[in-house]
Amino acid sequence: MVVNDLLDYWLNKGWTKETTICNIHDPLCSCVLKSKVAVIDFDAVKMGYEKQHKIASPASVDALRYDEKELTFIEVKGWKKFLDFTGKVTEEKIDKKRKDYEYKKKLDDSLNICLQTIREQNLISEDEFCRFPKRYIVVIDVQVKKEPLASLAVSLQMLATSSTSWDTMCWQKTQSDVDQIPQEDYSGLNMKHPHLVSCSDFDACFSSP
């Protein structure tokens, strides 16, 4: 398997371990539908990498998932805690929070860590890594009903201040951010267009067809 040597290198260094997105996002999470999909803690890889190279902390995705078909980069964001503990939720506060998330930079820096490690350790061919199928999933802990949504502009105008409406706004704004990641920037990396899922639907992304 193409990427196995890269993951084994990080595991053998003791930089990371297998876990789940629930443990990464919130170890004390009380969700009923806990993820059972094993992932690699990539934040831990990043910390080992920056310590080894004595560099300022790069950004990184939260996790990697690998099988014989593809390598998945995973970023997990929690909106529920923000909505629960923000005294008066407004669209402006949501927009301010979004600016911290930097989905594209996290993917770019994570790809760079992978490529730099491959070059330095001569683990696998860089060309093999670039040709191997990849995807980027952004996971959030809110979701919208499985029904067609109106356009973002129209929907936001109609939102009331109910929790369901704020969930919808967070979903739609996150979807907009994910959609704006330019596919052409990854033309040589065999990367599918990034997509957004709720945490309750995450495991289904890895179900056998």
Side-chain angles (χ1 to χ4, degrees):
M1 295 186 189
V2 173
V3 187
N4 256 358
D5 288 347
L6 177 60
L7 301 185
D8 285 345
Y9 172 76
W10 291 324
L11 289 165
N12 292 336
K13 293 276 288 185
W15 285 0
T16 189
K17 61 182 179 181
E18 281 196 347
T19 184
T20 66
I21 62 165
C22 294
N23 286 333
I24 291 173
H25 170 51
D26 184 357
L28 301 178
C29 177
S30 60
C31 294
V32 175
L33 295 174
K34 288 187 178 294
S35 175
K36 296 179 175 60
V37 170
V39 300
I40 293 292
D41 183 345
F42 199 75
D43 270 334
V45 171
K46 174 194 72 173
M47 289 189 284
Y49 181 86
E50 70 179 82
K51 184 176 180 180
Q52 182 182 69
H53 291 78
K54 298 180 174 60
I55 57 173
S57 180
S60 75
V61 298
D62 290 310
L64 293 180
R65 165 74 181 180
Y66 172 71
D67 59 33
E68 67 276 5
K69 295 180 180 178
E70 65 186 352
L71 176 65
T72 305
F73 294 79
I74 304 158
E75 178 63 14
V76 186
K77 287 299 175 204
W79 280 108
K80 279 191 176 297
K81 192 171 289 187
F82 168 80
L83 295 174
D84 289 344
F85 291 98
T86 298
K88 180 175 173 53
V89 180
T90 65
E91 183 176 351
E92 290 72 23
K93 289 180 180 178
I94 290 173
D95 285 338
K96 183 178 180 181
K97 186 68 175 173
R98 297 163 64 200
K99 291 178 181 177
D100 298 334
Y101 287 170
E102 297 186 304
Y103 299 114
K104 184 179 188 304
K105 179 170 174 53
K106 288 175 180 289
L107 176 60
D108 290 348
D109 285 6
S110 299
L111 284 164
N112 185 60
I113 290 172
C114 292
L115 288 166
Q116 285 296 110
T117 303
I118 288 168
R119 292 165 188 150
E120 292 166 4
Q121 304 302 323
N122 196 28
L123 296 171
I124 56 175
S125 154
E126 184 175 334
D127 182 60
E128 280 184 295
F129 177 81
C130 290
R131 285 188 285 106
F132 191 77
K134 304 170 194 69
R135 61 175 169 169
Y136 184 26
I137 297 178
V138 175
V139 188
I140 60 175
D141 59 357
V142 298
Q143 64 184 100
V144 294
K145 292 181 179 179
K146 304 289 196 258
E147 58 188 27
L149 293 169
S151 70
L152 179 60
V154 173
S155 296
L156 297 184
Q157 289 175 5
M158 297 176 62
L159 285 171
T161 55
S162 69
S163 60
T164 301
S165 296
W166 291 126
D167 283 1
T168 301
M169 179 180 282
C170 291
W171 177 277
Q172 291 185 323
K173 285 181 175 284
T174 304
Q175 182 70 71
S176 176
D177 292 339
V178 171
D179 287 345
Q180 288 178 43
I181 298 174
Q183 178 73 12
E184 59 270 19
D185 287 4
Y186 308 97
S187 58
L189 287 162
N190 198 8
M191 176 78 69
K192 293 179 182 175
H193 194 281
H195 67 282
L196 175 67
V197 300
S198 68
C199 56
S200 60
D201 293 329
F202 175 74
D203 283 18
C205 295
F206 302 94
S207 300
S208 299

